[in-house]
Amino acid sequence: MTVPPLDLGPQTRVIALLAEAVTDDQLGNSTPCPKYAVHHLLGHILGLSVAFRDAARKDLGPTTDTPPTDSVPDIGPGWREELPKVLDELAEAWRDPAAWTGMTRAGGVDLPGEIAAAVVIDELVVHGWDLARATGQAYDPDPAALQACYGFLQASAEDPSRDAIFGPIVPVPQDASLLDRAIGLSGRNPGWTP
């Protein structure tokens, strides 16, 4: 049996624990994403988890066809129960080696399974950092997911269209941590505070 290149489970558990620790009075906090408060960021994480779960399953439809920029995401009243469940489903869907092969769709864009996986890993690592920073929590991403995220962001650094997705690269010293270098490549300042 073929093994998928990376288990998303350790990183989805990191996100679930961060989200569980968010207090109701932190939902309005600003985040490193300029248009998002914490409740928007949580809504985005929930939406992307559903979309990329379905992309892994090749279950294409409304969840995989909607561009993420169509509206500002938000959470509903049951988000505390829904988010960990969807994160578990996301990780489980990408444990199937078939998820990493062939074509799929996410955000209305057709792309190879392995690229969809790289995108969701990037989303989980970077938005985990966003959530931790916005709510004053420590952040220790899964090392394998962080390495994959950094490789994806580094590969995209030469793409002239990348700024439309990530924003301009924030220069970070070469001796900075791998996480800080990835965050800089994502267009965020690793020193950001609320």
Side-chain angles (χ1 to χ4, degrees):
M1 178 176 158
T2 308
V3 181
L6 179 70
D7 181 3
L8 276 60
Q11 183 61 26
T12 59
R13 281 192 293 279
V14 168
I15 302 285
L17 290 171
L18 288 169
E20 183 181 349
V22 174
T23 61
D24 287 345
D25 64 340
Q26 291 176 321
L27 293 174
N29 287 11
S30 60
T31 72
C33 308
K35 296 178 183 173
Y36 287 4
V38 168
H39 62 96
H40 299 123
L41 178 61
L42 288 164
H44 177 64
I45 293 169
L46 181 58
L48 76 87
S49 296
V50 168
F52 281 93
R53 173 202 66 197
D54 292 349
R57 295 173 176 171
K58 312 290 197 283
D59 183 10
L60 309 183
T63 61
T64 61
D65 290 348
T66 307
T69 54
D70 272 10
S71 63
V72 176
D74 211 340
I75 49 173
W79 75 270
R80 289 190 183 275
E81 295 75 34
E82 187 180 5
L83 182 59
K85 176 180 173 286
V86 171
L87 286 166
D88 284 346
E89 291 170 354
L90 172 70
E92 187 58 37
W94 285 99
R95 287 187 183 112
D96 182 351
W100 298 73
T101 63
M103 294 296 290
T104 191
R105 184 179 312 126
V109 177
D110 291 325
L111 63 171
E114 63 186 332
I115 300 299
V119 171
V120 73
I121 292 164
D122 167 70
E123 293 275 336
L124 291 170
V125 171
V126 173
H127 289 317
W129 181 86
D130 292 334
L131 184 58
R133 280 300 169 109
T135 57
Q137 299 185 60
Y139 184 50
D140 188 20
D142 171 57
L146 174 58
Q147 187 65 54
C149 171
Y150 179 75
F152 173 73
L153 289 166
Q154 194 172 39
S156 73
E158 303 302 317
D159 183 344
S161 66
R162 73 166 302 282
D163 287 0
I165 300 169
F166 299 110
I169 292 172
V170 175
V172 175
Q174 279 304 307
D175 62 349
S177 71
L178 185 62
L179 178 58
D180 282 357
R181 286 183 283 146
I183 294 303
L185 286 171
S186 78
R188 291 159 170 78
N189 180 346
W192 185 92
T193 55

